[in-house]
Amino acid sequence: MTKRQSGKGSYDREYLEKLIEEAIIDCYNEHEQAVGMFTKIEEGLNLPFRTTILGMDVTVLAVEQENDGLGIAAVCERAGERQHISLSDLPLPVPPPEGAEWIAAYRLWARHQ
């Protein structure tokens, strides 16, 4: 599957819907779907990468499922301190890291849960 971006620099909705379908194809409920999305992000996202949060440079080291089993958070580090930031709120660098289309797909999926 090739990456397709719209003219605004974001991914084409049809492409993201295909990614979501790929991630949740054998899932029976939203918790299983969340695990499917997490697995695709964990496998496809090139980590670590640097981004800026509130004007501060941070390194995204990993992704983890949140305690509710539905959300996914980025593990960010700066000066030895770590903070979890929801993938829905994580600003991505320009250009985005390889595999960022999975974050975009997750964001679309999460809006409909």
Side-chain angles (χ1 to χ4, degrees):
M1 185 177 315
T2 60
K3 296 180 196 177
R4 294 188 312 199
Q5 291 187 307
S6 70
K8 296 182 282 186
S10 61
Y11 296 95
D12 175 91
R13 184 180 180 97
E14 183 180 340
Y15 172 66
L16 295 179
E17 288 172 352
K18 286 181 182 183
L19 291 179
I20 293 167
E21 183 179 328
E22 179 182 330
I24 67 171
I25 194 158
D26 292 327
C27 300
Y28 295 103
N29 60 45
E30 65 184 1
H31 283 89
E32 288 183 11
Q33 290 178 8
V35 171
M37 293 302 301
F38 171 75
T39 300
K40 289 295 190 174
I41 293 167
E42 189 176 47
E43 290 173 352
L45 184 61
N46 189 13
L47 294 168
F49 66 87
R50 296 189 57 78
T51 192
T52 303
I53 300 173
L54 297 174
M56 293 183 279
D57 289 334
V58 300
T59 301
V60 177
L61 300 173
V63 291
E64 294 181 352
Q65 284 197 276
E66 294 178 349
N67 291 335
D68 66 2
L70 294 174
I72 302 173
V75 179
C76 302
E77 182 179 65
R78 179 177 185 270
E81 297 290 323
R82 290 190 178 185
Q83 178 77 39
H84 288 74
I85 305 291
S86 169
L87 281 189
S88 296
D89 298 327
L90 182 71
L92 293 175
V94 177
E98 187 70 31
E101 65 271 16
W102 285 107
I103 293 175
Y106 166 74
R107 290 173 176 173
L108 178 62
W109 173 84
R111 282 197 303 262
H112 298 288
Q113 297 311 306

